[in-house]
């Protein structure tokens, strides 16, 4: 058996604190063997600095996936080789540093993590078709467990991709919208689907950002830079994927915690 903890988008200081608090509790309670987290909002809500990358690794996270804020911190491009267990979207242009998929060994089995970026309502330059990219990867690749972090806006796009790869990967876990969905399921051919795992961020916020700036933009059309709160309650959202001895996904367990 292998139990994998997949943590939703870590957003700012309170998100990091929520992760630090919950990881040891969940590892003990559920015998977690491997931890994946989306870290594209870790540094002040936009990008991932190397110091924050190391902080998350020190908490026990095994690999970090990204998304449309991959370029949020210049350091990640300039010193990408230091981020050894970072996975950026596979379908970014090929000259962008980093890897879009990585294989780990867990309890003698191969666990592959792949990151994809959606195209529907995602404002990013030049991402390739995620369906074509994953199809090409799967034609030459096979691991005991293969989990895709699909960083996308539309639940329909996430559902379509999951069904496109049903029976070919272990699970498609959605990130990006920061709100945990209630549609965790195992598809007919065995692939797990969760449209969005949710976020680790300030609870009294809008998607992890200070409410005033978000309201100003939406209500009055006034563009303002978003900031992440540094005080107040924090929320933690994740999912545990449980695999049997045959490496088949048998159960999803949604995790949601709110704390001071």
């Amino acid at each position: 058996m292998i139990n994998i903890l997949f943590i939703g988008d870590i957003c700012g200081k309170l998100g990091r604190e929520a992760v630090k608090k919950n990881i040891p509790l969940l590892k003990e309670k559920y015998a977690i063997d491997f931890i994946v987290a989306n870290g594209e909002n870790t540094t002040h809500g936009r990008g991932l600095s190397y110091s924050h990358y190391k902080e998350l690794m020190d908490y026990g996270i095994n690999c970090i996936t990204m998304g449309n804020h991959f370029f949020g911190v210049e350091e990640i491009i300039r010193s990408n080789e230091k981020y050894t267990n970072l996975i950026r979207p596979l379908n970014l242009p090929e000259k962008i540093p980093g890897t879009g998929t990585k294989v780990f060994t867990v309890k003698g089995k191969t666990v592959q993590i792949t990151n994809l970026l959606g195209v529907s309502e995602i404002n990013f330059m030049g991402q390739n078709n995620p369906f074509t990219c994953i199809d090409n990867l799967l034609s030459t690749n096979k691991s005991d467990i293969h989990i895709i972090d699909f960083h996308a806006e539309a639940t329909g796009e996430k559902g379509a991709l999951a069904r496109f790869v049903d029976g070919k990967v272990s699970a498609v876990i959605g990130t990006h919208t920061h709100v945990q969905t209630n549609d965790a399921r195992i598809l007919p051919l065995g692939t797990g689907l969760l449209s969005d795992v949710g976020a680790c961020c300030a609870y009294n916020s809008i998607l992890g950002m200070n409410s005033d700036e978000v309201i100003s933009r939406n209500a009055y059309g006034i563009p303002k830079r978003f900031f992440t709160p540094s005080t107040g309650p924090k929320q933690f959202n994740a999912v545990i994927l449980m695999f049997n001895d045959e490496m088949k996904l048998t159960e999803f367990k949604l995790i949601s915690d709110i704390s001071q």
Side-chain angles (χ1 to χ4, degrees):
M1 296 179 62
I2 290 179
N3 294 335
I4 295 178
L5 174 65
F6 190 112
I7 299 172
D9 305 52
I10 302 169
C11 191
K13 177 176 180 286
L14 294 185
R16 299 194 304 274
E17 290 179 358
V19 169
K20 182 180 181 180
K21 168 184 176 288
N22 280 277
I23 281 181
L25 301 176
L26 293 171
K27 286 183 72 172
E28 181 178 0
K29 184 174 182 179
Y30 295 105
I32 300 298
D33 300 299
F34 190 82
I35 303 176
V36 187
N38 186 285
E40 73 137 19
N41 300 120
T42 301
T43 300
H44 312 304
R46 194 177 183 93
L48 177 65
S49 69
Y50 183 65
S51 63
H52 286 154
Y53 167 82
K54 287 185 63 180
E55 180 181 339
L56 297 182
M57 290 288 116
D58 288 343
Y59 294 161
I61 294 172
N62 299 104
C63 76
I64 298 174
T65 52
M66 295 294 285
N68 57 303
H69 291 313
F70 176 68
F71 294 118
V73 174
E74 183 183 351
E75 183 181 15
I76 209 167
I77 299 297
R78 187 177 63 247
S79 304
N80 188 267
E81 70 282 353
K82 296 193 300 184
Y83 295 75
T84 53
N85 288 324
L86 183 78
I87 304 170
R88 51 90 166 155
L90 177 72
N91 56 320
L92 296 187
E94 63 181 21
K95 290 189 179 296
I96 292 177
T99 182
T101 190
K102 190 175 177 68
V103 178
F104 302 83
T105 300
V106 181
K107 297 171 75 170
K109 301 293 184 179
T110 52
V111 174
Q112 183 167 4
I113 308 298
T114 298
N115 194 190
L116 290 171
L117 182 63
V119 295
S120 178
E121 302 297 323
I122 293 281
N123 184 21
F124 194 87
M125 294 187 300
Q127 72 264 46
N128 298 308
N129 186 320
F131 291 80
T132 302
C133 286
I134 192 62
D135 200 33
N136 291 338
L137 177 68
L138 293 175
S139 68
T140 60
N141 190 278
K142 180 65 177 175
S143 298
D144 295 311
I145 295 173
H146 191 170
I147 298 171
I148 296 173
D149 173 352
F150 192 21
H151 197 81
E153 183 76 26
T155 56
E157 186 180 17
K158 296 174 185 180
L161 185 108
R163 286 163 176 81
F164 182 73
V165 299
D166 188 16
K168 300 177 182 178
V169 305
S170 304
V172 175
I173 306 298
T175 57
H176 179 64
T177 66
H178 291 202
V179 178
Q180 190 177 90
T181 53
N182 191 29
D183 63 343
R185 67 187 70 186
I186 298 176
L187 298 176
L189 299 181
T191 294
L193 166 64
L194 176 62
S195 289
D196 204 287
V197 68
C200 303
C201 61
Y203 180 67
N204 293 325
S205 69
I206 299 176
L207 305 182
M209 302 297 172
N210 283 326
S211 299
D212 289 347
E213 291 86 21
V214 181
I215 292 171
S216 178
R217 177 179 291 187
N218 283 271
Y220 310 115
I222 301 173
K224 288 191 175 183
R225 184 179 176 185
F226 292 166
F227 294 93
T228 57
S230 58
T231 59
K234 41 191 170 282
Q235 61 178 319
F236 175 89
N237 286 296
V239 62
I240 300 172
L241 297 88
M242 301 177 177
F243 295 88
N244 64 18
D245 291 339
E246 287 73 42
M247 298 299 105
K248 291 183 179 180
L249 179 64
T250 59
E251 186 179 351
F252 275 114
K253 186 167 185 63
L254 296 179
I255 303 295
S256 187
D257 175 77
I258 299 168
S259 60
Q260 296 297 319

